[in-house]
Amino acid sequence: MTTPQSGILPEANNNATFITLLINNDADSIETIRRTVAAIPAMTAEMAQQQPDSQLVSTVSFGAHAWDTLFPETPRPEHLAPFKAHKNGLRQAPSTPGDILVHIRSEGKDVNFDLSRQIMGELSDSVLVEEEVHGFRYRDSRDMTGFVDGTENPQGEDRAEVALVGDEDQAFTGGSYINCQRYIHNMGDWEATPVEQQEQIIGRTKTDNIEFTSEQKAPTAHIKRVSIKENGKSLEILRHSLPYGDSSECGLFFIAYGKSPRPFDLMLEQMIHADRHGHYDHLMNYTQAVTGCAFFAPSVAFLESLQ
């Protein structure tokens, strides 16, 4: 399989930087962007070699509009399309602007800063920063809600099986579809909710992270709503989400990698939309998505071919 970008398959890091960019469409900007994104794998590898304990990795990915603009000679990956917005009553998952996503992660915020500064220095005025979010590991890999996050992530060889495009789209093997959202948590309401009720909302115990049995789970529990099977097989995504925040606002930067965007799309639909019994994901009563973008991260070989 064609070599994937370094930030897709490795296990979680303690720190991540998520930079969402808008591109300028003039010829000079397009040339600068193509040259810079082609060099990102080498920039990352060089800095990782200089800081061997950092576990520095990165991914650069492109939205549908950016793909058509930057790579007009190459048809889009089969399933690359703008983020599909959802709304049901007060629950919503908006689609927001985003042409390029730079995802940097490592064990040190300083190393992320150095690489992001180098990349943004090369991109210069060819792009506009739509959003920059700094995520961090919270306690023992918990979300700000206090529950362990990413428990169901695939492990070992399954990570590549879940995250990377294979023979089903041979022109883009080694690539990965990315969907990301930034959620703001209503911590006041959440912290005022009794722990036993929080556990019913999530579907796990809070302290020791034990999943409830099928019989114990409420039909509105988060992990029940996002558990989807087809032909007896669970649909999976590879999460690289991290909490973010300061003293005034906090939440989760959710990011999912997959060989297809379909599992993510189905999970989000189950979270937002009520079924015929009126059941939806009750975690949505305590958190609000404020961004939503879809990207494709091509293989290293594709990026290097741009040079």
Side-chain angles (χ1 to χ4, degrees):
M1 178 177 286
T2 306
T3 303
Q5 293 186 55
S6 64
I8 300 176
L9 296 181
E11 295 286 345
N13 295 100
N14 283 332
N15 295 276
T17 300
F18 307 94
I19 309 175
T20 305
L21 303 172
L22 303 180
I23 65 173
N24 293 322
N25 291 335
D26 61 277
D28 288 345
S29 292
I30 291 172
E31 180 181 352
T32 297
I33 294 167
R34 285 173 60 102
R35 181 179 66 248
T36 302
V37 298
I40 286 177
M43 288 184 201
T44 305
E46 181 179 1
M47 193 168 292
Q49 187 174 22
Q50 295 169 355
Q51 303 282 344
D53 295 331
S54 68
Q55 300 178 35
L56 176 69
V57 291
S58 71
T59 307
V60 59
S61 55
F62 310 93
H65 166 72
W67 190 280
D68 295 343
T69 303
L70 297 171
F71 320 125
E73 71 283 0
T74 306
R76 286 184 203 170
E78 183 179 3
H79 302 297
L80 178 59
F83 188 94
K84 181 181 178 182
H86 293 268
K87 182 174 176 59
N88 190 303
L90 297 177
R91 302 181 301 280
Q92 61 179 331
S95 176
T96 55
D99 288 328
I100 297 175
L101 176 70
V102 178
H103 179 193
I104 301 168
R105 56 192 183 95
S106 75
E107 294 305 289
K109 188 174 180 179
D110 55 345
V111 185
N112 292 355
F113 170 80
D114 287 341
L115 182 57
S116 63
R117 190 164 179 266
Q118 182 179 0
I119 292 170
M120 294 306 297
E122 293 292 333
L123 289 170
S124 187
D125 294 335
S126 65
V127 297
L128 299 173
V129 177
E130 174 68 14
E131 180 174 72
E132 181 169 339
V133 178
H134 301 278
F136 54 88
R137 180 177 177 179
Y138 182 63
R139 300 184 181 177
D140 53 338
S141 298
R142 293 178 185 261
D143 177 54
M144 294 295 186
T145 59
F147 285 79
V148 174
D149 191 37
T151 302
E152 298 299 321
N153 251 357
Q155 301 297 317
E157 295 180 357
D158 289 343
R159 295 170 75 84
E161 173 62 26
V162 168
L164 300 180
V165 174
D167 292 339
E168 67 274 9
D169 190 359
Q170 293 187 359
F172 294 105
T173 58
S176 188
Y177 292 92
I178 297 173
N179 283 275
C180 60
Q181 300 172 282
R182 182 168 65 84
Y183 284 87
I184 299 175
H185 295 345
N186 186 332
M187 294 302 295
D189 285 356
W190 181 256
E191 290 168 347
T193 301
V195 170
E196 294 79 5
Q197 186 177 340
Q198 292 180 5
E199 291 176 336
Q200 286 296 320
I201 291 167
I202 300 297
R204 291 181 177 276
T205 59
K206 188 170 187 177
T207 301
D208 45 12
N209 191 36
I210 298 173
E211 183 174 347
F212 291 170
T213 65
S214 295
E215 294 75 18
Q216 291 173 321
K217 286 176 194 166
T220 56
H222 174 65
I223 61 174
K224 190 174 186 69
R225 298 299 296 174
V226 299
S227 178
I228 302 172
K229 290 187 177 182
E230 284 188 342
N231 302 317
K233 185 177 180 180
S234 295
L235 298 182
E236 294 184 276
I237 55 177
L238 179 58
R239 299 168 179 83
H240 283 306
S241 311
L242 277 179
Y244 74 92
D246 54 31
S247 59
S248 60
E249 178 182 288
C250 67
L252 181 73
F253 193 97
F254 178 89
I255 181 166
Y257 286 73
K259 63 182 178 183
S260 164
R262 186 166 176 269
F264 168 81
D265 290 340
L266 292 175
M267 291 177 190
L268 185 58
E269 185 174 336
Q270 288 276 95
M271 292 167 64
I272 299 292
H273 296 282
D275 61 21
R276 61 190 180 90
H277 301 292
H279 300 144
Y280 63 91
D281 185 347
H282 279 195
L283 182 58
M284 296 298 97
N285 295 336
Y286 298 88
T287 190
Q288 176 68 58
V290 293
T291 66
C293 296
F295 304 96
F296 184 78
S299 67
V300 171
F302 179 91
L303 293 177
E304 291 177 342
S305 73
L306 302 175
Q307 294 177 325

